[in-house]
Amino acid sequence: MSISEDRIAWEEVIEAKAFVDMARITPQPFKDSVEFTCMPVGTGCAISLPTAPAVGLNRILALNERDELNLAFEWMKTKTGRRHVQIRETSAANELRGWILDQGLVENGAWVKLTRPAPSAPLPIEGPVRARLAGIDDAPIFGKLTCAGFGFPAELEPLWSCLIGKKGWACFIAELEGTAIGTGAMFIEDGYAWLGGGTTSAEYRNRGAQKALINARLNEGLAQGVSLFAVETVQPREDQPNISFANLTKAGFKPSYVRKNYLLPN
């Protein structure tokens, strides 16, 4: 029986597909060395990378059916790290809330999902920062900048570097006066696109890099026939402004729903 009769939203599905594909194209020796694993389940997946500090690489997402959630949960319990289950708030019917309690999950923040249609025409290039498609030669700096921006250990740089040049992926580097200062990635499938990996070196923040990276991905997606774009960020609060959320809404993205994070007990 389904815990919720709600369909899994397309913006949730394209995100899960991006992580499943990331795991598929990451070289096996590297995956083995850092214990990076991913299990596709239904429309979603469970993904584990214990040394990554971010929720995004240690979670269950895009599932709301009891059997699928239980399958993913049992798999995730065998992993280490700060593991989470992400649940779309509007899908949290009483039966699902009971499941959360039964598993001993603890609420640990929330993300907001945002979407927007493709622009009607290419967006103009403004400001001193330029974002360009990354080529194979850029793979090392792309991995280095992405890990540094997210506070990941340097050993995880190949996780991002291996995305360069792969089918379905478009990776960008933001530059200021010739210096690489930020990165952004995009996964495309069947007219949908997921934006991820957007980060800027600490010393170059608030210079316009994220705006340039967002617009560059929208323009590339438009050129590749994308009709709808999705992205997520930490849910903003009055006492904790979210620059990422502000940049995305200025770029035409609108909140779609809130997804809560539930931490697995140790």
Side-chain angles (χ1 to χ4, degrees):
M1 177 184 288
S2 173
I3 281 180
S4 169
E5 296 303 322
D6 291 350
R7 283 184 69 248
I8 297 293
W10 69 267
E11 54 264 46
E12 195 93 339
V13 174
I14 189 64
E15 180 187 355
K17 285 186 174 183
F19 281 89
V20 170
D21 197 67
M22 175 188 284
R24 180 187 66 82
I25 63 181
T26 301
Q28 192 63 48
F30 172 73
K31 286 196 288 190
D32 292 342
S33 71
V34 295
E35 299 180 11
F36 177 34
T37 51
C38 178
M39 182 176 70
V41 182
T43 57
C45 68
I47 188 164
S48 173
L49 205 177
T51 56
V55 173
L57 287 161
N58 291 283
R59 58 179 171 146
I60 296 167
L61 72 151
L63 298 176
N64 66 358
E65 188 172 286
R66 178 187 293 278
D67 290 345
E68 293 177 346
L69 273 168
N70 282 331
L71 178 64
F73 190 75
E74 290 303 313
W75 181 89
M76 187 63 85
K77 285 197 298 185
T78 68
K79 309 302 176 183
T80 58
R82 286 177 56 79
R83 304 150 299 163
H84 289 76
V85 180
Q86 293 188 315
I87 302 292
R88 179 181 173 185
E89 194 171 43
T90 54
S91 297
N94 288 337
E95 189 180 355
L96 178 50
R97 295 182 193 280
W99 183 87
I100 291 168
L101 289 173
D102 290 344
Q103 309 309 324
L105 302 176
V106 178
E107 189 173 331
N108 185 36
W111 291 3
V112 59
K113 195 77 177 182
L114 302 100
T115 63
R116 66 151 290 167
S120 57
L123 301 171
I125 299 172
E126 301 173 341
V129 179
R130 295 290 183 267
R132 61 174 179 81
L133 270 171
I136 295 299
D137 291 344
D138 296 309
I141 188 63
F142 184 84
K144 183 176 181 179
L145 282 173
T146 305
C147 279
F150 283 122
F152 283 19
E155 68 173 350
L156 298 183
E157 290 175 10
L159 178 71
W160 306 103
S161 297
C162 75
L163 300 180
I164 304 293
K166 296 299 192 299
K167 182 181 178 181
W169 290 90
C171 299
F172 289 83
I173 290 178
E175 295 180 332
L176 178 62
E177 298 177 351
T179 298
I181 65 170
T183 60
M186 178 170 62
F187 176 75
I188 299 171
E189 185 175 293
D190 297 331
Y192 298 106
W194 171 78
L195 277 63
T199 187
T200 307
S201 298
E203 64 269 33
Y204 290 102
R205 288 174 184 164
N206 301 314
R207 305 274 193 98
Q210 285 308 306
K211 178 182 177 181
L213 287 162
I214 292 167
N215 287 355
R217 285 177 286 180
L218 291 174
N219 285 345
E220 178 65 20
L222 176 64
Q224 292 197 34
V226 171
S227 59
L228 293 167
F229 295 81
V231 68
E232 62 283 335
T233 187
V234 174
Q235 184 183 25
R237 302 187 325 218
E238 289 186 8
D239 62 337
Q240 190 176 21
N242 185 328
I243 294 174
S244 176
F245 181 85
N247 286 334
L248 290 165
T249 53
K250 287 177 184 176
F253 282 86
K254 294 182 179 180
S256 181
Y257 55 84
V258 172
R259 186 170 59 189
K260 290 187 175 181
N261 301 326
Y262 292 92
L263 183 65
L264 271 70
N266 291 324

